[in-house]
Amino acid sequence: MVDKRVAIVTGGGTGVGAASAKALAADGYNVLVNYARSKDAADDVVAHIVAGGGDAVAVRGDVASDHDCRALASAAVGRWGRIDALVHSAGVTQFVSMSDLEGQDAEDFHRIYGVNVIGAYQMARAVLPAMRAQEGGAIILVSSISSLNGTGSSYAYAASKGALNTLTMALSRNLAPIRVNAVLPGVIDGDWLRRGLGEDGFDQARKTFEDASALGRLCTPEDIASTIRWLVSEARAMTGQLVTIDAGAMIGRPPQVVLR
């Protein structure tokens, strides 16, 4: 249906991407679910959307490849005739202690930047012609609070997310009236972090984060997806914004003091 809005979600098979694809489908979007390796998971997301009465397709593609990015845009236009939204949730990292400066080299930085930053740029460029043919449109880039506080899974990851914030502001200024915003999640209760840290490491990180955050909890992929859906569908006057979603981790809990 050419009159139904269309979204592309990169990294749409798992985590925030999968939750975002489902949220946008529930909001009336046809969804192209991009994946690089998680074919079975992406197929499950598509099945969930179709079972709910929507239309979706899973398409493999490496966003570090400009050819693949353009192919994803072409696949969406070929199937539905338009593109109204892009959610760039694809991302990679390494779990390397910030105290270990020998833990990453230039090749690691290039690989992580290739997906997290260059992939976002290439995807925005690929969808631009179709998105400009519609009235408005929205691009959401999934960043991280590591871009603000210089912590996280590795130097390359934190630096790439800082670059993604800059890309958000630059694109928003130059692509208007297409709206470009970023979401900056804190620690997310999901499989990605569990795999990277292991169960014991994840439990320790969760306790530390819960103890430090104002709301005393982690975010879920669905928490992030609900904000992404709002930015895409409802935040008509917002662009160039970096929206932190961290359960209050950046502001922390109030000091335990008694004022006399």
Side-chain angles (χ1 to χ4, degrees):
M1 296 175 59
V2 297
D3 60 338
K4 191 173 181 181
R5 294 170 298 175
V6 173
I8 295 176
V9 180
T10 67
T14 59
V16 170
S20 297
K22 293 173 183 177
L24 289 172
D27 211 26
Y29 282 79
N30 296 322
V31 185
L32 186 148
V33 180
N34 159 250
Y35 68 95
R37 295 178 298 276
S38 304
K39 182 181 187 304
D40 290 345
D43 287 341
D44 287 344
V45 173
V46 169
H48 174 93
I49 292 171
V50 171
D55 191 15
V57 61
V59 181
R60 186 189 180 282
D62 178 0
V63 297
S65 161
D66 184 51
H67 175 272
D68 285 10
C69 291
R70 295 180 190 270
L72 292 172
S74 294
V77 172
R79 185 178 180 95
W80 296 299
R82 61 190 287 171
I83 301 172
D84 300 87
L86 166 67
V87 178
H88 183 73
S89 185
V92 295
T93 192
Q94 289 174 298
F95 287 84
V96 179
S97 170
M98 291 283 194
S99 65
D100 180 13
L101 267 66
E102 298 294 340
Q104 291 187 296
D105 57 21
E107 184 177 344
D108 297 321
F109 269 78
H110 284 301
R111 180 177 63 86
I112 289 170
Y113 266 69
V115 174
N116 296 2
V117 184
I118 298 171
Y121 177 80
Q122 292 178 160
M123 280 304 308
R125 180 171 60 188
V127 302
L128 188 57
M131 200 171 281
R132 278 182 168 159
Q134 307 303 319
E135 292 186 4
I139 296 174
I140 311 298
L141 307 181
V142 179
S143 182
S144 167
I145 63 167
S146 66
S147 66
L148 302 179
N149 59 22
T151 63
S153 52
S154 66
Y155 276 99
Y157 179 81
S160 74
K161 295 304 187 177
L164 195 63
N165 293 354
T166 299
L167 181 65
T168 298
M169 292 183 284
L171 289 175
S172 67
R173 184 177 297 112
N174 291 285
L175 300 190
I178 296 169
R179 294 174 292 111
V180 186
N181 294 288
V183 294
L184 283 59
V187 175
I188 298 174
D189 189 351
D191 292 338
W192 187 75
L193 199 58
R194 281 188 170 88
R195 288 195 301 270
L197 296 177
E199 283 296 336
D200 290 344
F202 175 79
D203 287 343
Q204 181 179 355
R206 176 172 56 191
K207 185 178 187 308
T208 299
F209 209 78
E210 289 175 346
D211 289 346
S213 64
L215 298 183
R217 57 172 291 233
L218 300 187
C219 294
T220 67
E222 289 72 25
D223 291 328
I224 313 305
S226 67
T227 301
I228 289 173
R229 186 211 62 79
W230 175 75
L231 286 169
V232 169
S233 298
E234 299 182 40
R236 299 297 180 184
M238 284 183 65
T239 195
Q241 300 303 301
L242 310 176
V243 183
T244 300
I245 315 165
D246 67 347
M250 291 289 289
I251 59 174
R253 291 197 174 187
Q256 300 301 309
V257 297
V258 177
L259 299 179
R260 298 183 184 276

